Short mmCIF file of all heavy atoms in Angstrom, two decimals:
data_model
loop_
_atom_site.label_atom_id
_atom_site.label_comp_id
_atom_site.label_asym_id
_atom_site.label_seq_id
_atom_site.Cartn_x
_atom_site.Cartn_y
_atom_site.Cartn_z
N ILE G 108 0.33 -6.82 0.26
CA ILE G 108 0.27 -8.26 0.47
C ILE G 108 -0.91 -8.69 1.34
O ILE G 108 -1.63 -9.61 0.96
CB ILE G 108 1.60 -8.76 1.07
CG1 ILE G 108 2.73 -8.51 0.06
CG2 ILE G 108 1.53 -10.24 1.41
CD1 ILE G 108 4.08 -9.00 0.52
N PRO G 109 -1.13 -8.08 2.50
CA PRO G 109 -2.20 -8.58 3.36
C PRO G 109 -3.56 -8.60 2.67
O PRO G 109 -4.26 -9.61 2.70
CB PRO G 109 -2.20 -7.59 4.53
CG PRO G 109 -0.86 -6.99 4.54
CD PRO G 109 -0.44 -6.93 3.10
N HIS G 121 -0.72 -18.55 1.84
CA HIS G 121 -0.31 -18.40 3.24
C HIS G 121 0.39 -19.65 3.76
O HIS G 121 1.47 -19.59 4.33
CB HIS G 121 -1.52 -18.08 4.12
CG HIS G 121 -1.83 -16.63 4.19
ND1 HIS G 121 -0.90 -15.69 4.56
CD2 HIS G 121 -2.97 -15.94 3.93
CE1 HIS G 121 -1.45 -14.49 4.52
NE2 HIS G 121 -2.71 -14.61 4.13
N ASP G 125 4.29 -20.18 4.88
CA ASP G 125 4.68 -20.69 6.19
C ASP G 125 5.68 -21.84 6.06
O ASP G 125 6.69 -21.89 6.74
CB ASP G 125 3.44 -21.18 6.96
CG ASP G 125 2.57 -20.03 7.42
OD1 ASP G 125 3.07 -18.90 7.45
OD2 ASP G 125 1.40 -20.28 7.75
N GLU G 160 10.80 0.11 -3.66
CA GLU G 160 9.82 0.41 -2.62
C GLU G 160 10.47 0.98 -1.38
O GLU G 160 9.85 1.65 -0.58
CB GLU G 160 9.04 -0.87 -2.24
CG GLU G 160 7.92 -1.20 -3.19
CD GLU G 160 6.73 -0.27 -3.02
OE1 GLU G 160 6.72 0.51 -2.06
OE2 GLU G 160 5.82 -0.32 -3.86
N GLY G 162 13.21 3.35 0.67
CA GLY G 162 13.43 4.78 0.51
C GLY G 162 14.60 5.15 -0.37
O GLY G 162 14.70 6.28 -0.83
N ARG G 164 17.16 5.78 -3.33
CA ARG G 164 17.00 6.15 -4.73
C ARG G 164 18.27 5.79 -5.49
O ARG G 164 18.59 6.37 -6.51
CB ARG G 164 16.76 7.66 -4.86
CG ARG G 164 15.39 8.11 -4.55
CD ARG G 164 14.63 8.53 -5.82
NE ARG G 164 13.25 8.89 -5.54
CZ ARG G 164 12.28 7.98 -5.46
NH1 ARG G 164 12.54 6.71 -5.68
NH2 ARG G 164 11.05 8.35 -5.21
N ARG G 185 24.54 -16.87 3.48
CA ARG G 185 25.29 -16.28 4.60
C ARG G 185 24.35 -15.86 5.73
O ARG G 185 24.59 -16.13 6.90
CB ARG G 185 26.09 -15.08 4.12
CG ARG G 185 27.39 -15.40 3.42
CD ARG G 185 28.34 -14.20 3.43
NE ARG G 185 27.69 -12.98 2.98
CZ ARG G 185 27.59 -12.61 1.70
NH1 ARG G 185 28.09 -13.42 0.75
NH2 ARG G 185 27.01 -11.50 1.36
N THR G 186 23.26 -15.20 5.35
CA THR G 186 22.29 -14.77 6.35
C THR G 186 21.80 -15.96 7.17
O THR G 186 21.67 -15.89 8.39
CB THR G 186 21.08 -14.10 5.67
OG1 THR G 186 21.54 -13.08 4.81
CG2 THR G 186 20.13 -13.52 6.72
N TYR S 105 6.11 1.77 6.36
CA TYR S 105 6.19 0.69 5.40
C TYR S 105 4.92 0.53 4.59
O TYR S 105 4.90 -0.18 3.60
CB TYR S 105 6.52 -0.64 6.10
CG TYR S 105 7.77 -1.26 5.56
CD1 TYR S 105 9.02 -0.73 5.88
CD2 TYR S 105 7.71 -2.34 4.69
CE1 TYR S 105 10.16 -1.27 5.36
CE2 TYR S 105 8.87 -2.89 4.16
CZ TYR S 105 10.08 -2.35 4.50
OH TYR S 105 11.22 -2.88 3.97
N ILE S 108 5.80 3.47 1.26
CA ILE S 108 7.01 4.27 1.34
C ILE S 108 7.14 5.30 0.21
O ILE S 108 7.38 6.47 0.48
CB ILE S 108 8.25 3.37 1.39
CG1 ILE S 108 8.19 2.50 2.66
CG2 ILE S 108 9.53 4.18 1.35
CD1 ILE S 108 9.38 1.61 2.83
N PRO S 109 6.95 4.90 -1.05
CA PRO S 109 7.17 5.88 -2.12
C PRO S 109 6.30 7.12 -1.96
O PRO S 109 6.80 8.24 -2.03
CB PRO S 109 6.80 5.10 -3.38
CG PRO S 109 6.96 3.67 -3.01
CD PRO S 109 6.58 3.58 -1.56
N HIS S 121 15.31 10.51 1.84
CA HIS S 121 15.88 9.81 0.67
C HIS S 121 17.41 9.85 0.71
O HIS S 121 18.07 8.82 0.57
CB HIS S 121 15.38 10.46 -0.63
CG HIS S 121 14.10 9.87 -1.11
ND1 HIS S 121 13.94 8.53 -1.33
CD2 HIS S 121 12.93 10.45 -1.42
CE1 HIS S 121 12.71 8.31 -1.75
NE2 HIS S 121 12.07 9.45 -1.80
N ASP S 125 20.05 6.76 1.21
CA ASP S 125 21.12 6.47 0.26
C ASP S 125 22.47 6.33 0.98
O ASP S 125 23.23 5.40 0.73
CB ASP S 125 21.21 7.58 -0.79
CG ASP S 125 20.05 7.56 -1.76
OD1 ASP S 125 19.37 6.52 -1.82
OD2 ASP S 125 19.83 8.57 -2.44
N GLU S 160 3.63 -8.04 7.25
CA GLU S 160 3.30 -7.63 5.90
C GLU S 160 3.60 -8.73 4.89
O GLU S 160 3.04 -8.76 3.82
CB GLU S 160 4.12 -6.38 5.53
CG GLU S 160 3.53 -5.09 6.04
CD GLU S 160 2.29 -4.69 5.27
OE1 GLU S 160 1.98 -5.33 4.27
OE2 GLU S 160 1.62 -3.74 5.69
N GLY S 162 3.70 -12.65 3.55
CA GLY S 162 2.59 -13.59 3.49
C GLY S 162 2.51 -14.56 4.64
O GLY S 162 1.47 -15.17 4.87
N ARG S 164 2.09 -16.35 8.15
CA ARG S 164 1.21 -16.15 9.30
C ARG S 164 1.82 -16.84 10.52
O ARG S 164 1.12 -17.23 11.44
CB ARG S 164 -0.17 -16.76 9.05
CG ARG S 164 -1.06 -15.97 8.16
CD ARG S 164 -2.17 -15.29 8.98
NE ARG S 164 -2.98 -14.42 8.13
CZ ARG S 164 -2.67 -13.15 7.92
NH1 ARG S 164 -1.60 -12.62 8.46
NH2 ARG S 164 -3.45 -12.40 7.17
N ARG S 185 26.29 -11.16 9.13
CA ARG S 185 26.58 -12.31 8.26
C ARG S 185 26.20 -12.00 6.82
O ARG S 185 26.95 -12.28 5.89
CB ARG S 185 25.79 -13.53 8.74
CG ARG S 185 26.41 -14.26 9.92
CD ARG S 185 25.89 -15.69 10.00
NE ARG S 185 24.44 -15.77 9.93
CZ ARG S 185 23.63 -15.64 10.99
NH1 ARG S 185 24.14 -15.41 12.19
NH2 ARG S 185 22.33 -15.73 10.85
N THR S 186 25.03 -11.42 6.63
CA THR S 186 24.60 -11.07 5.28
C THR S 186 25.63 -10.18 4.60
O THR S 186 25.97 -10.36 3.43
CB THR S 186 23.25 -10.33 5.32
OG1 THR S 186 22.31 -11.10 6.07
CG2 THR S 186 22.72 -10.09 3.91
#
Side-chain angles (χ1 to χ4, degrees):
Chain G
I108 297 182
H121 273 307
D125 288 343
E160 279 286 351
R164 282 252 176 276
R185 280 201 310 274
T186 307
Chain S
Y105 238 75
I108 298 182
H121 272 305
D125 288 343
E160 278 287 353
R164 283 254 175 271
R185 280 201 310 275
T186 307

